[in-house]
């Protein structure tokens, strides 16, 4: 359920068409070999896809998808995504790392290798060069799967679990700390370093929780839900209307809203999405920059009813960047969201400094 996890990152990649629209290439995507696509001739679109997904391609040792999960180190990280491979990766290839970024090491690493008997890529778990476990089943070619992983980093009572389509395929308990510090900051997904470079990811979710937390179940992320009308506005605009300046998919820097009065807020109405399942949370995103030398901070805001609630303040710089805040619970009720509450909410941003 929603209370089992603290979500650190969600992304359906629906509102982006290039790396520059959301990520800092040198930090979050290595080797810059990534495209946003809507379908693949051999595989079609992934399950629960509302728009685009990312394509990790082979270049200089393979592209790496490595979203930043905040500055707080964790001892438990969970990640899940829809994943597909379009071709065989011969030889053993680096795949998923649970990273201690402060010391520049991987605590544990999942590698993949093609098994000609099963016709799938089996997974091998390593701590450094020590093989810890091999999966009982693998990732097929040209087929979307829900791939879920968990690592509890600990030198004695650690745990790594992997499931494919919610079926357990690997479990290891014991020493899962390769370094000298019990901590993890990020999960890395590698494009293959031995060919087999057509890798695809959608509906990516990262979370933390208790060591006993279950693997992340199959999830869908509804992105690209853009404003359709003003609810209340405080910013100025260079467009015909405030909502019209921020309804572009993908975002552009041609029309925008601007302000320098602390407390000013824009709130927008959105087309009501079709929601019928469990809602694990709502994320409010915006793309922003600043054009002065002082400190500027924006907070994403959400208004489920008659009260406007703020998320974490994003401090801007001179580059256009994407920011956001995840609301796992309805801030009006401190309870899990219902579909009706989500579809009735307004979203926007407030100048805080």
């Amino acid at each position: 359920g929603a209370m089992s996890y603290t979500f650190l990152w969600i992304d359906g990649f629906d509102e982006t068409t290039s790396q520059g629209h959301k990520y800092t290439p040198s930090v979050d995507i290595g080797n810059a070999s990534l495209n946003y696509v809507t379908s693949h001739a051999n595989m079609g679109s992934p399950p629960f896809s509302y728009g685009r997904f990312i394509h990790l391609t082979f270049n200089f040792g393979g592209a790496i998808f490595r979203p930043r999960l905040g500055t707080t180190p964790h001892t438990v990280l969970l990640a899940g995504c829809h994943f597909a491979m379009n071709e065989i990766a011969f030889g053993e290839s680096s795949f998923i790392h649970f990273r201690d970024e402060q010391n520049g090491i991987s605590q544990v690493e999942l590698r993949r290798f093609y098994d000609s008997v099963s016709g799938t890529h089996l997974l091998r778990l390593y701590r450094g060069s020590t093989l810890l476990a091999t999966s009982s089943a693998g990732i097929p070619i040209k087929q979307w799967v829900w791939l879920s992983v968990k690592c509890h980093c600990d030198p004695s009572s650690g745990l790594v679990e992997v499931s494919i389509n919610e079926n357990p395929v690997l479990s290891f308990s014991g020493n899962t700390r390769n370094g000298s510090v019990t901590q993890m900051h990020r999960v890395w997904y590698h494009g293959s370093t031995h060919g087999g470079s057509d890798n695809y990811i959608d509906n990516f979710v990262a979370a933390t929780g208790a060591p006993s937390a279950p693997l992340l179940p199959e999830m869908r992320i509804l992105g690209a839900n853009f404003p359709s009308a003003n609810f209340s506005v405080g910013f100025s605009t260079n467009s015909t209307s405030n909502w019209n300046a921020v309804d572009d998919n993908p975002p552009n820097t041609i029309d925008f809203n601007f302000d320098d009065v602390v407390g000013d807020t824009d709130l927008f109405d959105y087309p009501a999405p079709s929601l019928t399942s469990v809602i694990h949370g709502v994320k409010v995103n915006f793309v922003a920059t600043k054009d002065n030398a002082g400190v500027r901070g924006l907070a994403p805001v959400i208004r489920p009813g008659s009260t406007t609630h703020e998320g974490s303040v994003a401090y801007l710089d001179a580059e256009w960047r994407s920011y956001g805040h995840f609301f796992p619970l309805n801030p009006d009720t401190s309870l899990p969201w219902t579909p009706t509450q989500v579809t009735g909410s307004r979203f926007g941003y407030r100048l805080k400094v």
Side-chain angles (χ1 to χ4, degrees), residues 280-284 300-302 309-311 325-329 331 337:
H280 290 281
V282 175
K283 188 179 182 185
V284 180
V301 294
I302 191 167
H309 303 269
E310 298 178 0
H325 183 87
F326 188 75
F327 296 87
L329 303 174
W337 292 92

Side-chain angles (χ1 to χ4, degrees), residues 5-340:
Y5 315 103
T6 298
F7 291 93
L8 304 172
W9 183 286
I10 65 167
D11 208 329
F13 313 106
D14 300 313
E15 75 279 22
T16 44
T17 55
S18 76
Q19 191 170 316
H21 286 139
K22 180 163 287 191
Y23 302 104
T24 304
S26 63
V27 175
D28 294 317
I29 296 169
N31 299 329
S33 294
L34 181 145
N35 298 296
Y36 292 83
V37 292
T38 55
S39 66
H40 189 284
N42 291 329
M43 298 174 299
S45 297
F48 307 140
S49 180
Y50 293 99
R52 301 174 180 90
F53 50 96
I54 58 172
H55 177 196
L56 291 171
T57 55
F58 180 80
N59 183 38
F60 303 111
I64 306 170
F65 171 61
R66 45 186 180 184
R68 289 192 283 182
L69 306 179
T71 57
T72 302
H74 302 280
T75 57
V76 177
L77 283 178
L78 305 98
C81 66
H82 286 107
F83 182 82
M85 299 179 69
N86 184 43
E87 59 188 28
I88 295 172
F90 294 104
E92 190 172 89
S93 301
S94 180
F95 186 25
I96 299 175
H97 294 243
F98 289 91
R99 294 277 297 177
D100 172 2
E101 293 288 17
Q102 186 175 11
N103 294 292
I105 60 169
S106 296
Q107 303 288 20
V108 291
E109 172 192 0
L110 285 165
R111 304 177 192 171
R112 59 191 173 194
F113 68 98
Y114 184 68
D115 173 53
S116 59
V117 176
S118 65
T120 66
H121 288 85
L122 297 178
L123 304 177
R124 287 176 175 155
L125 177 68
Y126 287 86
R127 183 189 65 249
S129 60
T130 302
L131 177 62
L132 303 178
T134 302
S135 67
S136 59
I139 300 170
I141 301 296
K142 296 178 173 51
Q143 181 179 328
W144 286 96
V145 300
W146 176 258
L147 178 65
S148 194
V149 296
K150 177 177 75 171
C151 179
H152 172 211
C153 180
D154 191 90
S156 58
S157 59
L159 177 67
V160 174
E161 294 180 330
V162 182
S163 68
I164 298 174
N165 290 334
E166 301 188 353
N167 297 310
V169 299
L170 185 149
S171 180
F172 170 80
S173 56
N175 181 7
T176 55
R177 192 185 76 184
N178 185 40
S180 59
V181 183
T182 308
Q183 64 179 16
M184 300 175 293
H185 304 87
R186 294 164 89 175
V187 183
W188 285 19
Y189 287 73
H190 276 254
S192 175
T193 55
H194 291 87
S197 57
D198 259 348
N199 294 207
Y200 299 85
I201 295 175
D202 199 8
N203 295 312
F204 176 81
V205 180
T208 188
S212 59
L215 289 168
L216 292 171
E218 188 173 23
M219 296 184 183
R220 63 197 308 174
I221 297 168
L222 171 59
N225 204 26
F226 284 75
S228 58
N230 293 335
F231 175 73
S232 61
V233 295
F235 279 54
S236 301
T237 185
N238 74 345
S239 183
T240 56
S241 181
N242 287 46
W243 74 266
N244 195 55
V246 291
D247 71 336
D248 303 296
N249 182 17
N252 69 47
T253 59
I254 299 171
D255 55 345
F256 51 84
N257 302 321
F258 56 95
D259 198 277
D260 62 3
V261 179
V262 172
D264 280 357
T265 305
D266 279 354
L267 276 166
F268 305 108
D269 288 314
Y270 287 70
S274 177
L275 302 172
T276 58
S277 188
V278 175
I279 309 297
H280 290 281
V282 175
K283 188 179 182 185
V284 180
N285 297 315
F286 56 75
V287 177
T289 186
K290 71 183 183 78
D291 61 2
N292 69 339
V295 177
R296 284 293 183 214
L298 279 175
V301 294
I302 191 167
R303 185 183 176 95
S306 58
T307 303
T308 301
H309 303 269
E310 298 178 0
S312 300
V313 177
Y315 291 95
L316 312 180
D317 61 24
E319 299 293 329
W320 286 97
R321 302 191 191 279
S322 179
Y323 304 94
H325 183 87
F326 188 75
F327 296 87
L329 303 174
N330 182 338
D332 271 359
T333 64
S334 298
L335 297 172
W337 292 92
T338 67
T340 301

